[in-house]
């Protein structure tokens, strides 16, 4: 699986500007990693919530409105 852009940027940021590791670049890389981790956790929570709603409450009418968001977040759309 291809690594997400945020993580690829986090890897290369420290090597920008001729290898100088300025604090703002290191902070930006750390923030990209943190946001990617939070996004992954939120995506899993949304998948769990959608599954719960689809399985337990009116499966034909609810929870499927989140499918396009989940597909977009996983690169499937």
């Amino acid at each position: 699986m291809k690594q997400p852009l945020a993580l690829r940027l986090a890897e290369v940021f420290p090597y920008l500007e001729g290898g100088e590791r300025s604090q703002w670049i290191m902070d930006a890389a750390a923030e990209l990693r943190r946001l990617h981790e939070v996004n992954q956790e939120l995506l899993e929570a949304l998948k769990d919530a959608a599954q719960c709603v689809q399985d337990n409450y009116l499966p034909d009418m609810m929870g499927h409105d989140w499918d396009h968001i989940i597909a977009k977040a996983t690169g499937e759309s």
Side-chain angles (χ1 to χ4, degrees):
M1 184 171 129
K2 186 176 174 182
Q3 188 178 35
L5 178 58
L7 295 181
R8 291 195 317 259
L9 289 172
E11 285 181 5
V12 299
F13 271 9
Y15 301 104
L16 297 177
E17 298 183 13
E20 295 177 19
R21 293 178 177 233
S22 64
Q23 188 59 47
W24 73 268
I25 289 176
M26 299 305 290
D27 291 347
E31 182 66 0
L32 283 170
R33 287 186 191 96
R34 185 191 73 78
L35 290 173
H36 176 74
E37 184 177 331
V38 169
N39 283 342
Q40 292 304 109
E41 291 172 4
L42 289 171
L43 177 59
E44 289 306 312
L46 179 59
K47 286 180 182 178
D48 290 345
Q51 178 98 30
C52 180
V53 169
Q54 291 165 1
D55 290 348
N56 298 310
Y57 306 99
L58 305 170
D60 293 333
M61 299 175 63
M62 298 179 73
H64 293 284
D65 51 340
W66 302 325
D67 290 345
H68 73 283
I69 296 169
I70 292 169
K72 184 177 178 181
T74 58
E76 297 174 12
S77 68

